[in-house]
Amino acid sequence: MADFKEKILKLDPTATFEVGPDGITTLSVDEKAWHTVAMTLRDDSSTAFDYLVTIVGMDWKESLGCIYYLSSTARGGEMLAVKVIARGDRREPMIHSVSDLWEVAGIYEREVYDFFGIIFINNPDMRRLFLSIDWKGHPLLKDYDANPDINPVSIENERQSDFTQSWVEQPDGTIVKTEPRIFEEDDFVVNIGPQHPATHGVLRFRTAINGEDVKRIDVYMGYIHRGIEKICEQLTYPQTLHFMDRMDYFSGHHYHHALCLCYEEALGIEISRRAQVIRVLMDELGRIASHCLFIGTYCMDLGATTMLFYTLRVREQILDIMEKTCGARMTFNYECIGGVMQDLAPDFVADVKALLAVLPANIKEYNKIFTGNVIAKGRMEGVGVISREEAIQRGVTGPSGRASGWACDVRKTHPYSIYSELDFDEVIAHEGDSMARFKVRVAEMEQSARIIEQLIDNIPEGEYCVKVPKVVKVPAGRWFKMVEGCRGVFGVCLESDGTTNPYRLKLVPPCLPLAAAVDKMTRGQKIADLITIGGSLDYIVPDMDR
C-alpha cells in the first residue's frame, strides 16, 4: 500500500487517502491529474484496477464531482473508490473522460451527464442517456427546478438527431465542442423496438444495416425511466425499499437484500441467524425462478415456443412458495431493515423439498429438448462471442461474464450474509458465446438447488426481524455494497448527511452495461443474431432505466 500511495503522490502531490466506514479506501485526486492517475491505476501491476464497477455522480452543493468505484480482478476483487471534483462552475462542470481506459465508462459518463450536467472531456458521445433530447435541466442536482411547466409532457414524437456532441481537448489545452455523426451519411438505419417482444421491454435499437448484416447499433434507453434515485432522496430509509422490486422484478429479493445490507452496516444492526438463512433461501429460489423464465422466453425468441411451458411449471411452483410467505408473486417487498417482514409459511420447508425433488428431472428435460438441439446449436454456438478481457472492459457481469471465463460472482469475490459458509461452485465457461451464456444459467440452477439443500433442514429458531428504531437515521458517511443478482452485480452506494432520508442513493444495475455491450457484440452479425445475442444477455429494461 505504501508503494501504491507513493506512485499516486508522484502523479498528484495533492492526492489524499481515507478509509471509509465501509472499509473501502477513497483516493481523492485533482481533476487535472485524474486521467493520468486512472491510467496508472489500471495498468500498473501493483494496482491493476481493470474493472470499473460504476461512476457515482455527486452534487455536494459547493461542488460537483464523481466517485469512481474500481475493482481488481487480479487482486481478488480488491476495491478502491476515487473522488474527483469537477473543474468549472455549476453551469459547465467538466471532468476528463476515462472511456478510453474502461469501455463501460462511456455509458456511465452519459448517465452522469444526463442527471448532473457534468461534461466528460474527450468522451466521443456526450448525449443524454435516459431523458429526452430537449429536456431542460439535470434532475439529480440539488437545486433542480422540478416545476412541470418547464418540461411539459409532450404529445408529439420525440425530436431525434443523427448527431451527438463531444467536448474535445486541443493540444493547447482549450476545449472545443464538436458534433460528430452517429451513423455514416449513407447508412441504412432501421428501428428495432421499442415495441418489439424480443427487445425484452421498451428498449430501442437504431440499427445501421448492410443487407442482413449489422453495422452499428445506437441504443435508446429511458422509455420507462421513473427517477427512482431522485425520489429516494425525498423518502425515509424504510420507504426506499419497495422500489427494489420494481427494477429487476425477477431479482427483487436480491436487490432488497443489497439495500438492507447497506443500511444495516451503516446503522450497526446485526440481524439474526434465522433472518440471514431466510434471505439466502429466498435469493436462491428467486435465482432459479428467474433462470427458468430466461430459458423459456429465450427459447421462444428463437422459435422453440414449447420450452416456455416447460420452464413455467417450475417457476410457478416457486412463486406459489413465495406467495404463501410474502403474500405476492412478483413485487414481494419481503426483506426489511433488521431481517424480513414476516416469518416463513408453516409448509415452507415441505414445499421447498417438493421443488427440490422435481428440479433435477426438469433440468434434464430442458437440456434434452433444447441444449442439444441441432437448430439451437446453429443459432447460438459461436454467435455473440465476447472474451474475458472484453467482458471486464464492458462491465458484463453475472452469468454472461462467467460464460466468458470471468470469475465475477460476488458471493465468492465479496461474500456477504452466510455465503462464505456454503458449499457451491461458481459456474464458469470459456466459449463466451450465446450457447455458453445459456448453459451457465442452466448449471447455476443446479448450484442454487445445492445451496437450498444445505439450508432447508437447518433453519435455526429465533427472531425473523430484530428491533429497529422507529425513526431511522443513518450517520453521516458513505457506504457501498454489492450482491450477486440474477443478471450480475447489483450495487448500492449510499451517501448520508445524518438525516432521516438519503442524501444520495446510487443504484448500480447489471443490465445497463449488458445493454450497452450489444452494439460491439453484434457488429458484423446477422439481424437474426441480434435477437439471439440480446436474449442471451438477459437484460431487464426497468433495471437499466430505473
Side-chain angles (χ1 to χ4, degrees):
M1 190 65 174
D3 291 343
F4 160 60
K5 288 183 177 180
E6 188 177 328
K7 288 178 182 177
I8 299 302
L9 289 171
K10 283 182 180 178
L11 299 172
D12 179 13
T14 66
T16 61
F17 298 83
E18 181 184 359
V19 179
D22 57 0
I24 298 176
T25 298
T26 297
L27 162 64
S28 297
V29 298
D30 186 84
E31 195 285 322
K32 293 178 181 177
W34 164 229
H35 192 273
T36 304
V37 170
M39 190 180 297
T40 301
L41 291 174
R42 188 196 66 170
D43 296 340
D44 193 287
S45 60
S46 64
T47 51
F49 287 107
D50 52 350
Y51 169 37
L52 175 60
V53 181
T54 192
I55 302 175
V56 183
M58 290 296 305
D59 180 0
W60 291 289
K61 294 182 179 177
E62 71 278 0
S63 62
L64 298 173
C66 292
I67 308 291
Y68 297 76
Y69 280 93
L70 307 175
S71 179
S72 173
T73 61
R75 295 161 62 84
E78 181 183 336
M79 297 283 293
L80 176 72
V82 184
K83 178 179 178 180
V84 182
I85 294 176
R87 66 162 82 170
D89 56 22
R90 295 180 70 85
R91 290 174 301 171
E92 200 172 55
M94 292 186 174
I95 296 177
H96 277 85
S97 172
V98 290
S99 59
D100 58 326
L101 303 177
W102 295 281
E103 195 171 325
V104 73
I107 203 80
Y108 289 154
E109 289 172 356
R110 283 183 62 189
E111 178 186 3
V112 174
Y113 170 71
D114 201 358
F115 292 153
F116 290 90
I118 297 174
I119 295 166
F120 290 88
I121 302 165
N122 296 328
N123 183 316
D125 187 4
M126 264 288 84
R127 288 176 293 163
R128 288 188 180 273
L129 183 62
F130 296 114
L131 300 179
S132 163
I133 189 174
D134 295 317
W135 192 271
K136 297 178 180 66
H138 301 278
L140 289 188
L141 293 176
K142 296 299 181 181
D143 56 1
Y144 173 71
D145 188 349
N147 184 344
D149 294 335
I150 297 174
N151 289 292
V153 177
S154 175
I155 59 172
E156 304 295 329
N157 288 334
E158 180 183 344
R159 186 173 68 85
Q160 184 173 285
S161 174
D162 284 331
F163 294 86
T164 182
Q165 52 190 4
S166 179
W167 281 260
V168 180
E169 187 171 30
Q170 304 301 306
D172 62 358
T174 58
I175 309 297
V176 175
K177 183 181 178 181
T178 63
E179 292 190 351
R181 292 191 69 93
I182 298 168
F183 296 105
E184 299 292 332
E185 196 167 353
D186 59 348
D187 276 347
F188 185 73
V189 180
V190 297
N191 282 306
I192 300 175
Q195 307 300 335
H196 192 293
T199 58
H200 290 263
V202 280
L203 182 66
R204 177 184 172 205
F205 295 126
R206 289 189 72 206
T207 309
I209 58 173
N210 179 19
E212 287 289 317
D213 296 330
V214 175
K215 288 182 65 179
R216 180 178 178 178
I217 288 178
D218 185 29
V219 183
Y220 272 65
M221 304 177 186
Y223 287 97
I224 48 174
H225 170 66
R226 294 147 291 168
I228 287 176
E229 293 176 9
K230 183 70 174 181
I231 295 171
C232 286
E233 294 177 6
Q234 319 303 322
L235 302 177
T236 63
Y237 286 96
Q239 288 175 325
T240 63
L241 287 166
H242 83 283
F243 286 113
M244 300 303 101
D245 289 310
R246 289 153 176 83
M247 292 174 55
D248 178 353
Y249 36 78
F250 302 129
S251 293
H253 289 298
H254 309 79
Y255 284 23
H256 272 272
H257 199 165
L259 194 55
C260 288
L261 285 173
C262 188
Y263 290 168
E264 286 158 2
E265 181 176 316
L267 292 163
I269 294 173
E270 185 174 344
I271 70 170
S272 68
R273 176 74 180 188
R274 182 177 181 83
Q276 289 182 323
V277 171
I278 291 173
R279 283 181 178 180
V280 170
L281 282 168
M282 289 299 186
D283 283 2
E284 297 311 315
L285 286 169
R287 199 180 312 277
I288 295 172
S290 176
H291 287 352
C292 277
L293 196 66
F294 158 77
I295 294 168
T297 55
Y298 185 52
C299 293
M300 189 167 65
D301 285 345
L302 301 183
T305 311
T306 310
M307 274 295 290
L308 178 63
F309 300 101
Y310 280 88
T311 56
L312 284 182
R313 290 182 307 188
V314 170
R315 177 172 168 77
E316 287 296 305
Q317 194 173 348
I318 293 172
L319 295 187
D320 287 342
I321 294 170
M322 290 183 175
E323 185 179 19
K324 288 182 182 180
T325 291
C326 308
R329 300 176 71 82
M330 194 168 189
T331 51
F332 305 108
N333 198 28
Y334 184 55
E335 291 78 2
C336 62
I337 302 172
V340 294
M341 287 285 191
Q342 56 195 20
D343 211 348
L344 296 172
D347 48 0
F348 178 84
V349 172
D351 287 347
V352 170
K353 286 184 175 179
L355 170 72
L356 294 175
V358 300
L359 188 61
N362 277 273
I363 292 175
K364 186 177 180 181
E365 199 171 45
Y366 305 157
N367 285 323
K368 182 179 179 181
I369 294 172
F370 190 79
T371 312
N373 184 287
V374 65
I375 299 174
K377 287 183 175 181
R379 290 291 305 274
M380 297 163 68
E381 289 181 352
V383 174
V385 176
I386 180 172
S387 68
R388 179 182 182 275
E389 292 71 24
E390 289 171 331
I392 295 170
Q393 265 285 309
R394 298 173 193 168
V396 174
T397 59
S400 299
R402 290 189 285 279
S404 296
W406 179 18
C408 55
D409 193 326
V410 181
R411 297 172 296 175
K412 293 288 189 180
T413 60
H414 299 87
Y416 55 94
S417 188
I418 58 170
Y419 278 108
S420 60
E421 305 170 22
L422 300 172
D423 181 24
F424 67 100
D425 297 328
E426 182 174 7
V427 181
I428 304 289
H430 298 278
E431 295 85 354
D433 59 8
S434 298
M435 179 61 85
R437 290 187 281 275
F438 179 87
K439 287 181 176 179
V440 164
R441 287 182 176 87
V442 174
E444 283 192 355
M445 292 169 64
E446 297 173 328
Q447 294 304 315
S448 290
R450 188 174 161 191
I451 291 171
I452 294 168
E453 285 173 347
Q454 295 170 56
L455 296 175
I456 196 62
D457 286 325
N458 296 291
I459 304 174
E461 297 296 325
E463 296 178 299
Y464 61 84
C465 188
V466 300
K467 289 183 178 179
V468 176
K470 289 184 178 179
V471 178
V472 178
K473 277 189 178 182
V474 172
R478 188 187 310 118
W479 288 265
F480 186 77
K481 271 292 177 187
M482 298 187 298
V483 301
E484 184 63 31
C486 301
R487 280 145 199 83
V489 175
F490 175 68
V492 175
C493 180
L494 167 67
E495 179 137 339
S496 170
D497 58 358
T499 61
T500 57
N501 52 292
Y503 182 82
R504 172 82 168 102
L505 185 64
K506 166 64 176 172
L507 304 171
V508 186
C511 295
L512 178 59
L514 288 176
V518 171
D519 173 33
K520 295 292 177 65
M521 293 174 69
T522 54
R523 290 191 183 187
Q525 305 278 344
K526 302 296 182 184
I527 294 177
D529 293 334
L530 165 60
I531 305 304
T532 302
I533 295 165
S536 73
L537 294 171
D538 194 25
Y539 45 71
I540 299 288
V541 176
D543 188 52
M544 63 183 81
D545 277 359
R546 280 154 288 156

